[in-house]
Amino acid sequence: SEVSALFINSTFGWAAAGIQSNAPAYGQASLGTMFDYALNDAFNILSGVYSTDIGDVTTDSSARHGFYFKLPKRDSFVWFNESQWNARLGSISSQLNLGFWVEEGEFREGSTSVSHNWNYGYYLVLDRIRLSEDGLTGFVRFAASPSDRNEFVSYFDLGISGRSFIPSRPDDHWGIAYSNSVLSDHLFQGENPETEGVVELTWQAHVGDGLIFQPTFQYISNPSGHEGSSVSDSLVAGIRIQGEW
């Protein structure tokens, strides 16, 4: 989601908790290929296959530079398929993404000896929801996967962001987002799994040429995701400083 990129908590990142594939992500890449075909100005189809073997950065020198140059020693891959539709409903426009992923490998049912050769999941993204002409935009995402081989059964988040409402700071942006992750009662039998939630409020302030200060305030409910856990709800505050030259 382009809109969710404003937020600092990693749950609002590219895959969130709902897509539990071992696909390469920021920080470590691997070999893969992607196909992108535009049927028309409003509809795209994307498909990509990637190796899930990103190497061991502690023992393999070829994996220490952010990209694993070797072909995998075992058959292990993940296949993503997605359709993108630029939709419009009255004055509200958005991009609707529908997709699924399939991964080959060995996926155990928790600590048991039962394993599966495949994992898979589905996701939906409503992105760049333009709610007003003055820059108010939003996003909604949902993902689901089987409970017998994934820690999270489903994931949901949404958020909005907008331009600064302070006349003297027209380049600033603000945002508020919420996420909810549902843990698998199949993998966590006897541990009373429940949900974990995150609320984030952030403000991106342009304080000079190429210098951005972004404070963030986050409330995390039930951080362990389990009923009766000794880990209490948490309030987190921080700041990200970004420089561009």
Side-chain angles (χ1 to χ4, degrees):
S1 168
E2 294 181 12
V3 180
S4 69
L6 171 70
F7 299 94
I8 293 177
N9 192 295
S10 60
T11 193
F12 303 112
W14 80 272
I19 301 179
Q20 297 156 84
S21 161
N22 293 314
Y26 176 77
Q28 199 71 26
S30 67
L31 294 174
T33 184
M34 190 188 78
F35 168 81
D36 185 351
Y37 179 69
L39 295 176
N40 50 50
D41 292 339
F43 197 83
N44 279 47
I45 296 177
L46 296 88
S47 183
V49 179
Y50 307 93
S51 168
T52 57
D53 190 347
I54 61 174
D56 187 342
V57 297
T58 62
T59 60
D60 195 334
S61 60
S62 64
R64 295 177 182 173
H65 306 289
F67 183 82
Y68 193 52
F69 293 89
K70 295 182 179 180
L71 288 172
K73 299 177 182 178
R74 57 184 175 81
D75 294 331
S76 180
F77 68 90
V78 59
W79 181 32
F80 281 90
N81 292 275
E82 181 175 300
S83 61
Q84 299 178 345
W85 178 43
N86 293 317
R88 188 174 188 89
L89 180 62
S91 61
I92 300 177
S93 63
S94 68
Q95 178 177 302
L96 173 62
N97 302 341
L98 294 172
F100 70 91
W101 56 273
V102 178
E103 182 177 351
E104 189 272 343
E106 183 180 6
F107 306 94
R108 291 190 176 276
E109 293 190 11
S111 59
T112 71
S113 60
V114 181
S115 64
H116 304 271
N117 294 327
W118 297 92
N119 197 7
Y120 60 92
Y122 312 89
Y123 61 93
L124 177 150
V125 179
L126 267 173
D127 196 23
R128 296 183 298 176
I129 307 172
R130 191 172 68 176
L131 302 172
S132 69
E133 297 296 332
D134 58 357
L136 185 64
T137 57
F139 70 92
V140 178
R141 302 187 300 176
F142 175 79
S145 51
S147 64
D148 59 358
R149 67 202 77 174
N150 294 280
E151 292 185 2
F152 298 97
V153 178
S154 64
Y155 175 86
F156 169 79
D157 67 15
L158 56 83
I160 57 173
S161 69
R163 297 172 185 164
S164 170
F165 44 79
I166 302 175
S168 61
R169 308 199 57 82
D171 296 328
D172 292 2
H173 288 80
W174 61 270
I176 184 170
Y178 167 78
S179 75
N180 182 268
S181 307
V182 180
L183 275 72
S184 167
D185 57 1
H186 188 99
L187 294 190
F188 297 106
Q189 292 183 15
E191 300 181 35
N192 300 318
E194 288 191 335
T195 64
E196 177 180 314
V198 175
V199 177
E200 179 176 354
L201 176 64
T202 188
W203 184 285
Q204 192 178 74
H206 293 252
V207 298
D209 292 338
L211 186 61
I212 299 173
F213 283 11
Q214 184 176 352
T216 177
F217 301 93
Q218 303 172 23
Y219 179 76
I220 304 173
S221 62
N222 197 22
S224 70
H226 297 282
E227 181 183 358
S229 170
S230 59
V231 181
S232 58
D233 295 358
S234 302
L235 183 63
V236 180
I239 186 170
R240 178 166 64 184
I241 301 175
Q242 177 180 335
E244 298 176 353
W245 292 272

